[in-house]
Amino acid sequence: MTIQLYNTLTRRVEPLETLEPGVVRMYVCGVTVYDHAHIGHAMSALVFDILRRYLEWRGYRVIHVVNFTDVDDKIIERANARGQNSFDLAESLIQEFLDQLAAFNILPATFYPRATQSIPDMIELIQGLIDRGHAYPADGDVYYRVRSFPSYGKLSGRNLEDTLSGTRFEPDPRKESPADFALWKSARAGEPSWPSPWGPGRPGWHIECSAMNLKYLGEQIDIHGGGNDLIFPHHENEIAQSEGLTGKPFARYWVHNGMLQLVSPQTGTGTGTEKMSKSLGNLVTISDFLRQYPADVFRLMVLNSHYRSPLTYHEEIAAENVRKLERLQRALLPATGEMVVGDAVVDLIEAASTAREAFVQAMDHDFNTASALAALFDLVRAINTARDAEVGGVPFQEAQATLQELAGVVGLRLQEPQRNQEAAPFVDLLLEVRTALRGARQFELADTIRERLDALGVVLEDTPQGTRWRWSYQSSDE
């Protein structure tokens, strides 16, 4: 089956047909680094990591570019408030974010260009737009002439005249039209600047992505991604810039993820939600989340929701996904029997095959990760049923390998938490004492041991073959 994905530009699900057979050129708008990243940023990065992983699993080579905006009004303001160099602030936050992406098991992009590394490319692009009549200088600034691009608004579905009448623009007598946007900003005192044909200054926000696309991926790309809050004006402006310069269609597929919404503390339910953002101050930083939960918990949250839909976050949802993670991990525990023939074995083999087919079908249809995840949990139930039926050996191991493989395709590691391994012999000793107490019918003392171990993050599982233990996925005092 051909992979299908929703294209914001055409507003329909379309078959994936790449410019070059077997190669996907994908650009995803990254973060503006003026503060610590929050889990909304992680959500977007995870969405495109999952998309990339699946494409690569299906045999594509993905050239993946993610930019960092490291010069911007907000960065400059934050650095000035801290008495810090803006470049140093931006680079420190970039490195922090890259470490956090690694903690989330997000594959490194092929290229991570910074805006400040691409200034000459932006200047060349701006000059090209001026030469073609799409841009004009004005007292050291340069603006894009929106009326010069007749199809402006085709991505967002906004008519230019409606935009002009329905949007508040800052008045600027130097602009030919209020909708014209800055490609180059003249230097201001105390701000970083670079020389240009129009005088010292720095680039506007939108131009950097067009320049980086041209430099790293060429005049045309397969997939352009980002949050749906970027559709207008950022991505609309990218199209105008890129296509105004080259005269060619820019991106074949525009893929946008929904926003992360935080449940209002007042309601405690999904009815009082609002977009998580730094400007609103209603955010959970990545560091805050990772201190409390394993990274796979957040990946499961993203997988449980379609990438184009809003994702609601609150503590109950996080706790629910802790339990889901534990269910997946328990399915990878060793077999307790050795049966390799019989109806139970046949059922397990069929369940593994069915799960693989359902997984591929779901992912092929616009990356329906929720249905793909449901296929994994169907396989988990089959594995647990087979374990109870004493299935073991190669059939059991192959079913577990299928689960591990498909989970890995969407980036789930399913690794058991690593705690203080020096404590393991003492946990084993306490289990022996508990077993002896239960044998002596001193159940109250046995339950006390279980409760105290549980408080320390040790989960006990009583089976016909004896008691097993493992570390809990709920982060404690690590």
Side-chain angles (χ1 to χ4, degrees), residues 104-330:
F104 275 115
N105 195 30
I106 291 171
L107 296 172
T110 313
F111 301 104
Y112 282 116
R114 277 76 157 158
T116 56
Q117 297 170 346
S118 305
I119 303 295
D121 305 291
M122 294 185 232
I123 291 174
E124 182 179 353
L125 196 163
I126 293 169
Q127 186 61 57
L129 289 171
I130 293 174
D131 294 342
R132 288 162 177 77
H134 289 296
Y136 56 94
D139 297 332
D141 292 353
V142 180
Y143 294 98
Y144 188 93
R145 183 178 284 115
V146 170
R147 290 191 183 278
S148 72
F149 191 71
S151 60
Y152 188 83
K154 63 183 177 181
L155 181 68
S156 61
R158 297 189 180 204
N159 177 278
L160 180 57
E161 300 307 321
D162 292 341
T163 299
L164 286 170
S165 62
T167 305
R168 180 181 177 182
F169 295 96
E170 290 296 327
D172 189 337
R174 296 173 303 164
K175 288 185 179 183
E176 294 179 1
S177 167
D180 293 349
F181 57 89
L183 302 175
W184 187 262
K185 300 179 178 181
S186 58
R188 290 182 286 188
E191 294 187 358
S193 64
W194 290 262
S196 82
W198 319 286
R202 58 185 173 89
W205 174 39
H206 311 296
I207 195 67
E208 68 180 83
C209 289
S210 289
M212 292 174 186
N213 266 291
L214 286 165
K215 179 176 182 178
Y216 291 94
L217 295 173
E219 293 183 344
Q220 294 179 285
I221 66 174
D222 297 297
I223 296 175
H224 196 309
N228 61 21
D229 59 334
L230 298 178
I231 295 173
F232 187 88
H234 184 53
H235 289 167
E236 197 74 74
N237 291 351
E238 275 192 68
I239 291 175
Q241 294 165 164
S242 301
E243 296 186 5
L245 181 75
T246 68
K248 301 176 182 178
F250 177 29
R252 301 191 75 166
Y253 305 90
W254 287 85
V255 179
H256 293 96
N257 62 273
M259 293 293 98
L260 186 68
Q261 296 179 330
L262 190 68
V263 171
S264 167
Q266 284 75 28
T267 65
T269 70
T271 58
T273 59
E274 57 185 357
K275 186 186 84 169
M276 184 178 292
S277 72
K278 292 175 183 175
S279 60
L280 294 174
N282 64 339
L283 53 82
V284 176
T285 67
I286 293 175
S287 297
D288 289 340
F289 183 90
L290 291 176
R291 274 194 291 268
Q292 191 171 3
Y293 301 104
D296 267 357
V297 169
F298 193 69
R299 188 176 285 263
L300 275 173
M301 292 174 62
V302 173
L303 289 167
N304 265 307
S305 175
H306 194 277
Y307 74 89
R308 287 192 279 117
S309 301
L311 175 64
T312 301
Y313 175 83
H314 58 76
E315 294 298 322
E316 290 182 7
I317 292 177
E320 176 187 344
N321 282 278
V322 169
R323 295 188 288 271
K324 288 181 178 180
L325 180 58
E326 290 176 335
R327 283 175 58 201
L328 287 165
Q329 179 60 36
R330 284 198 298 273

Side-chain angles (χ1 to χ4, degrees), residues 241-451:
Q241 294 165 164
S242 301
E243 296 186 5
L245 181 75
T246 68
K248 301 176 182 178
F250 177 29
R252 301 191 75 166
Y253 305 90
W254 287 85
V255 179
H256 293 96
N257 62 273
M259 293 293 98
L260 186 68
Q261 296 179 330
L262 190 68
V263 171
S264 167
Q266 284 75 28
T267 65
T269 70
T271 58
T273 59
E274 57 185 357
K275 186 186 84 169
M276 184 178 292
S277 72
K278 292 175 183 175
S279 60
L280 294 174
N282 64 339
L283 53 82
V284 176
T285 67
I286 293 175
S287 297
D288 289 340
F289 183 90
L290 291 176
R291 274 194 291 268
Q292 191 171 3
Y293 301 104
D296 267 357
V297 169
F298 193 69
R299 188 176 285 263
L300 275 173
M301 292 174 62
V302 173
L303 289 167
N304 265 307
S305 175
H306 194 277
Y307 74 89
R308 287 192 279 117
S309 301
L311 175 64
T312 301
Y313 175 83
H314 58 76
E315 294 298 322
E316 290 182 7
I317 292 177
E320 176 187 344
N321 282 278
V322 169
R323 295 188 288 271
K324 288 181 178 180
L325 180 58
E326 290 176 335
R327 283 175 58 201
L328 287 165
Q329 179 60 36
R330 284 198 298 273
L332 298 177
L333 293 172
T336 57
E338 299 179 356
M339 185 171 67
V340 294
V341 294
D343 291 343
V345 174
V346 172
D347 290 344
L348 179 59
I349 294 171
E350 290 180 352
S353 177
T354 299
R356 181 182 293 274
E357 292 173 3
F359 178 89
V360 172
Q361 183 175 6
M363 293 296 289
D364 276 358
H365 187 70
D366 196 26
F367 301 93
N368 188 341
T369 54
S371 293
L373 194 60
L376 296 189
F377 279 106
D378 286 343
L379 181 53
V380 165
R381 282 189 289 273
I383 289 171
N384 291 336
T385 299
R387 181 187 286 107
D388 293 341
E390 302 293 324
V391 175
V394 172
F396 193 83
Q397 294 166 5
E398 288 182 347
Q400 288 183 317
T402 297
L403 175 61
Q404 190 98 51
E405 177 193 359
L406 298 180
V409 170
V410 291
L412 289 167
R413 288 171 289 195
L414 303 187
Q415 295 174 341
E416 192 162 349
Q418 298 297 309
R419 303 285 173 86
N420 183 359
Q421 296 307 308
E422 295 178 358
F426 299 99
V427 175
D428 291 335
L429 177 61
L430 286 170
L431 290 192
E432 291 178 14
V433 172
R434 177 175 175 268
T435 299
L437 288 170
R438 294 178 72 190
R441 304 188 67 80
Q442 296 187 42
F443 297 115
E444 187 174 345
L445 285 174
D447 288 344
T448 298
I449 291 177
R450 183 185 193 113
E451 291 166 4

